[in-house]
Amino acid sequence: QVQLVESGGGLVQAGGSLRLSCAASGSIFSINRMGWYRQAPGKQRELVAVITSGGTTDTAESVKGRFTISRDNAKNTVYLQMNSLKPEDTGVYYCNANILIGQLSLEYTYWGQGTQVTVSS
């Protein structure tokens, strides 16, 4: 019943910018932690950035100063602003959210389908 819909991925030149969006829809009571993960070719999926319901953020050391995570609680949406992109940022980016759903406020973890980000040199 709950779905995460991602957008904003694509091809960009090194030094460029992309903004990823992930909107949650369905029978949502509230959204707790939200985050972005990525998986480069031949690599393990890694955490990129997280944001709490109160707006506290943390980012991976490799993207600190270049990527910014934010959320719009009214729209149930999380964003990842990616600036100064490097070829090593290339990978599939996944949205993640811990969500309380329905009348019983049951907590589940949801994943987006993933969106490809390719940074060329």
Side-chain angles (χ1 to χ4, degrees), residues 26-58:
S27 184
I28 299 171
F29 181 78
S30 66
I31 302 178
N32 295 326
R33 177 183 179 274
M34 304 186 79
W36 290 93
Y37 293 71
R38 70 184 180 187
Q39 188 165 18
K43 301 294 184 180
Q44 188 175 352
R45 186 177 300 185
E46 65 176 349
L47 178 66
V48 177
V50 295
I51 185 167
T52 69
S53 60
T56 301
T57 64
D58 195 15

Side-chain angles (χ1 to χ4, degrees), residues 20 23 28 64:
L20 305 183
I28 299 171
K64 214 174 279 290

Side-chain angles (χ1 to χ4, degrees), residues 69-80:
I69 188 170
S70 62
R71 64 192 287 170
D72 185 336
N73 291 330
K75 296 180 178 180
N76 289 332
T77 300
V78 62
Y79 306 94
L80 186 67

Side-chain angles (χ1 to χ4, degrees), residues 2 24-32 71 73 76 98-107 110:
V2 174
S25 61
S27 184
I28 299 171
F29 181 78
S30 66
I31 302 178
N32 295 326
R71 64 192 287 170
N73 291 330
N76 289 332
N98 292 336
I99 302 175
L100 302 180
I101 66 170
Q103 297 297 313
L104 298 179
S105 297
L106 301 177
E107 186 173 58
Y110 292 91

